[in-house]
Amino acid sequence: MEVKIDQPSVVGEYDDALQALLQLLWGDGFLSPGGAEEIRRLLAGSDIRGCNVLDIGAALGVVDQLLVEEHGAASVVGVDVDPTMLRQMDERIARAGLADRVTSLCVMPGPLPVADDAFDVVFSKDSIVQIPDKRGLFTDIHRILRPGGRLIASDWLRGGTGEYSPQMMEYFRLEGIAYNMASIEESVEALQAAGFVNIQVEDRNGWYLKLARRELESLEGPMYPLLVERLGADKAGHFVTNWRQLVMVVERGELRPAHLKASKRS
Ligand SMILES: C[S@@+](CC[C@H](N)C(=O)[O-])C[C@H]1O[C@@H](n2cnc3c(N)ncnc32)[C@H](O)[C@@H]1O
């Protein structure tokens, strides 16, 4: 696989095998860890009832469904660069009977085709890492939020700055998807530069380390025969190697999931 750092996500990089693996590990419709429980944790203390929400990196749409069904959002627009995944999102949302409240929007990397002050909340789960220019992104999110609006996001951040370790480079190679990582400090600076206030960060490295170790145990053990059956021996072996490397870089503190919250001044 190719290392894809500091460049936009390419349509199709979440191929069928990667989507299948991630959903086996993380649950139906989820391409990020923690399921509904982690969304609850991210939204703790942040009431979105009655809000119009834009979700960046909506993918298969299960998160958007939860934002409406469980968390009471009035509406959600889920944006993504990948039209194939958004078709799956539309089917899921139609099955759930939510098509009048949840819509998908296929976008190009870059400024969002959305009016100023249009949303109460911009939400994102583990997708900002795929967007290279954080300051440009946060400035654009600030533009589309109404005064007093909130950004609520979870993202894959990095520990440290500068050159990546050989372990991280190998992790990027095994993953094969676009990684544009920022540290907690760099993310806070970019949010401040975009005009955000009330910035809060929660480091989720410890939580994910425990979960990632369990994921690896499962991939190496009880889930392995199913992986081979569904994806073939080569892909199954690749994903086990990938997860060993993932656990290593989470242990080293170089891959750090975190929650980011910030507000636009009223
Ligand atoms: C790790 S997945 C997370 C998906 C979903 N939020 C979840 O938690 O299941 C990242 C998603 O971000 C999308 N993405 C990458 N670059 C993007 C961009 N510039 N704008 C919107 N979505 C993007 C990818 O296509 C992918 O669906």
Side-chain angles (χ1 to χ4, degrees):
M1 305 273 266
E2 192 193 336
V3 172
K4 291 194 206 144
I5 51 175
D6 305 328
Q7 53 184 283
S9 175
V10 175
V11 172
E13 64 184 10
Y14 291 84
D15 62 15
D16 290 349
L18 184 56
Q19 287 182 41
L21 168 87
L22 297 180
Q23 292 182 85
L24 278 173
L25 283 172
W26 293 335
D28 179 39
F30 287 97
L31 302 187
S32 68
E37 185 53 41
E38 182 62 1
I39 306 290
R40 268 176 226 131
R41 168 93 185 206
L42 176 57
L43 287 172
S46 300
D47 192 347
I48 63 161
R49 278 175 297 177
C51 288
N52 296 318
V53 179
L54 179 123
D55 175 27
I56 298 178
L60 305 178
V62 68
V63 173
D64 308 276
Q65 184 180 350
L66 286 169
L67 293 179
V68 169
E69 280 185 340
E70 187 176 328
H71 299 282
S75 69
V76 179
V77 177
V79 302
D80 206 290
V81 293
D82 190 319
T84 312
M85 290 204 283
L86 288 181
R87 268 197 293 280
Q88 295 185 64
M89 167 175 173
D90 292 342
E91 285 164 16
R92 169 181 294 276
I93 295 302
R95 281 196 305 275
L98 294 174
D100 53 337
R101 290 169 68 190
V102 181
T103 51
S104 67
L105 177 65
C106 193
V107 297
M108 302 284 286
L112 291 157
V114 170
D116 296 358
D117 300 345
F119 289 92
D120 303 307
V121 170
V122 171
F123 183 93
S124 184
K125 181 76 168 59
D126 299 343
S127 303
I128 290 175
V129 66
Q130 298 219 276
I131 300 176
D133 175 9
K134 305 300 176 204
R135 190 156 163 184
L137 172 69
F138 292 147
T139 301
D140 200 38
I141 293 173
H142 192 267
R143 174 185 70 76
I144 68 175
L145 281 172
R146 65 153 169 82
R150 291 163 293 158
L151 168 64
I152 303 171
S154 160
D155 197 25
W156 295 104
L157 301 188
R158 66 176 291 193
T161 52
E163 286 203 356
Y164 291 108
S165 67
Q167 291 85 351
M168 273 301 267
M169 293 303 286
E170 177 61 4
Y171 169 71
F172 294 138
R173 191 187 70 75
L174 290 162
E175 288 266 308
I177 58 172
Y179 271 86
N180 302 275
M181 303 197 82
S183 65
I184 287 179
E185 295 73 19
E186 288 166 338
S187 302
V188 170
E189 271 172 32
L191 285 165
Q192 283 169 337
F196 279 101
V197 293
N198 302 328
I199 297 167
Q200 296 167 46
V201 183
E202 185 183 359
D203 189 332
R204 299 289 283 146
N205 179 269
W207 161 75
Y208 188 55
L209 178 56
K210 286 195 199 110
L211 181 58
R213 284 180 175 145
R214 288 207 302 273
E215 289 165 3
L216 177 58
E217 264 173 38
S218 176
L219 282 177
E220 286 174 325
M223 199 183 274
Y224 194 73
L226 180 62
L227 268 191
V228 173
E229 186 192 309
R230 294 272 298 272
L231 307 177
D234 283 357
K235 291 245 183 246
H238 169 81
F239 285 131
V240 170
T241 309
N242 188 163
W243 241 252
R244 287 189 188 128
Q245 198 70 22
L246 177 144
V247 168
M248 185 191 297
V249 293
V250 177
E251 272 170 359
R252 290 170 56 87
E254 292 176 277
L255 182 62
R256 312 190 76 87
H259 294 175
L260 299 171
K261 293 185 181 179
S263 307
K264 179 169 172 173
R265 274 181 218 281
S266 298

